[in-house]
Amino acid sequence: MERPAWAPRSIDISVPSVARIYDYYLGGSHNFEVDRQAARKAMDFMPGLPKIMQANRAFMRRAVRHAADEGIDQFLDIGSGIPTFGNVHEVAQRVRPGARVVYVDHDPVAVAHSEAVLAGNPDTGVVAADLRKPREILSSPAVQTLIDLNRPVALLLVAILHFVEDTDDPYGAVAELRDALAPGSRLILTHASYEGIPLSAERAEGTVAVYKDIRNPLIMRSREEIARFFEGYDMVEPGLVPMPHWRPETPPEDEDPYAFSGFAGVGRTA
């Protein structure tokens, strides 16, 4: 397999990556055949996966605009993935020029492309780190330089927590991040679930098995389990809901049925 010029030498291009598979679902070009093969296998069971990812991105943009409209001018996006059109800094800085954004991911391709996209934007930064190690994120030079933790921050955990197994204590990681944030901060979150998927759980399990095979287990949590991530936050209306129902800009009934898979919500610290 020929290595593209944009692929860091340090990565194994024969191993699928969740970030690059996500990029493929969104119609991006920074993925390899091994990623496309895994994505197509997953779509054999759940053909609406691209619609789910598009709904994730649309919710993220609405939630970031809401936070910026409410006066938030600092954003910490963990599990940010490969940059696409309408990224957090574009949305936030359109509402609040000078808004500061730090992207965090552990995928080398996502980090490399984020750095390339953000070159020349002094109000943005990139951190190579893992959600499971909050202290490394919070103590990173980019966060220390750009984010004032004594002021409200919007913390984004969009389509990332369902890749963290219970044995890695995702609730503890989210709580540690919450405890580092100032009052008035926001948690912007989406999470996969069997609830809302327009096909049987048995068929959806085929997609889950594909992610398990590529050593990135997809953890499908219930609405109740997802709600636990918001402990210590007051839910912003309309609460924890399917993505198209969170402050929609177009009629939810016009959305593809797959867009209602999983849940999204925004919380506010007291």
Side-chain angles (χ1 to χ4, degrees):
M1 184 187 304
E2 185 177 351
R3 180 182 296 272
W6 51 262
R9 301 299 303 178
S10 59
I11 69 168
D12 184 349
I13 63 175
S14 68
V15 177
S17 153
V18 165
R20 298 195 305 267
I21 291 172
Y22 191 98
D23 178 68
Y24 174 74
Y25 290 144
L26 290 175
S29 59
H30 294 102
N31 49 77
F32 307 129
E33 182 56 30
V34 67
D35 305 307
R36 296 187 284 272
Q37 288 176 355
R40 287 191 288 264
K41 284 182 182 178
M43 290 169 63
D44 284 343
F45 297 98
M46 199 182 296
L49 279 167
K51 294 295 184 181
I52 297 174
M53 306 313 163
Q54 290 164 18
N56 261 281
R57 299 295 296 185
F59 159 77
M60 179 274 289
R61 289 191 286 268
R62 296 196 304 275
V64 168
R65 277 197 298 271
H66 166 76
D69 284 339
E70 291 286 302
I72 302 289
D73 61 2
Q74 303 184 104
F75 297 81
L76 179 58
D77 185 1
I78 301 178
S80 51
I82 295 169
T84 59
F85 174 75
N87 238 29
V88 175
H89 71 282
E90 295 174 329
V91 178
Q93 291 174 354
R94 191 173 301 125
V95 177
R96 293 199 165 273
R100 295 186 169 191
V101 180
V102 175
Y103 294 105
V104 181
D105 208 290
H106 65 82
D107 184 285
V109 171
V111 171
H113 278 281
S114 296
E115 290 173 340
V117 167
L118 300 173
N121 188 329
D123 295 317
T124 60
V126 185
V127 178
D130 194 307
L131 168 61
R132 293 169 293 188
K133 298 178 180 179
R135 291 182 187 178
E136 291 186 8
I137 296 171
L138 296 171
S139 64
S140 66
V143 170
Q144 292 287 308
T145 301
L146 291 170
I147 304 294
D148 179 359
L149 294 174
N150 294 310
R151 296 174 50 246
V153 177
L155 169 65
L156 285 87
L157 300 175
V158 175
I160 179 64
L161 283 163
H162 47 236
F163 291 113
V164 184
E165 298 180 84
D166 288 341
T167 52
D168 288 321
D169 192 17
Y171 296 103
V174 174
E176 187 171 346
L177 290 164
R178 178 201 64 213
D179 291 346
L181 302 180
S185 293
R186 306 298 198 277
L187 171 61
I188 297 172
L189 180 152
T190 67
H191 198 296
S193 176
Y194 285 120
E195 299 174 43
I197 297 176
L199 43 76
S200 69
E202 290 75 20
R203 186 163 181 82
E205 285 171 1
T207 292
V208 174
V210 171
Y211 279 91
K212 184 176 180 180
D213 287 344
I214 64 171
R215 300 177 185 175
N216 282 283
L218 180 58
I219 313 301
M220 306 290 270
R221 295 187 172 95
S222 67
R223 185 184 184 280
E224 182 179 354
E225 290 171 323
I226 297 166
R228 282 182 55 200
F229 288 114
F230 287 97
E231 288 183 0
Y233 291 90
D234 296 324
M235 294 302 296
V236 172
E237 290 293 333
L240 186 61
V241 294
M243 292 174 285
H245 286 303
W246 199 91
R247 304 195 175 204
E249 296 171 346
T250 57
E253 56 268 25
D254 293 343
E255 294 284 350
D256 186 280
Y258 275 96
F260 297 85
S261 306
F263 294 95
V266 176
R268 183 184 188 279
T269 55

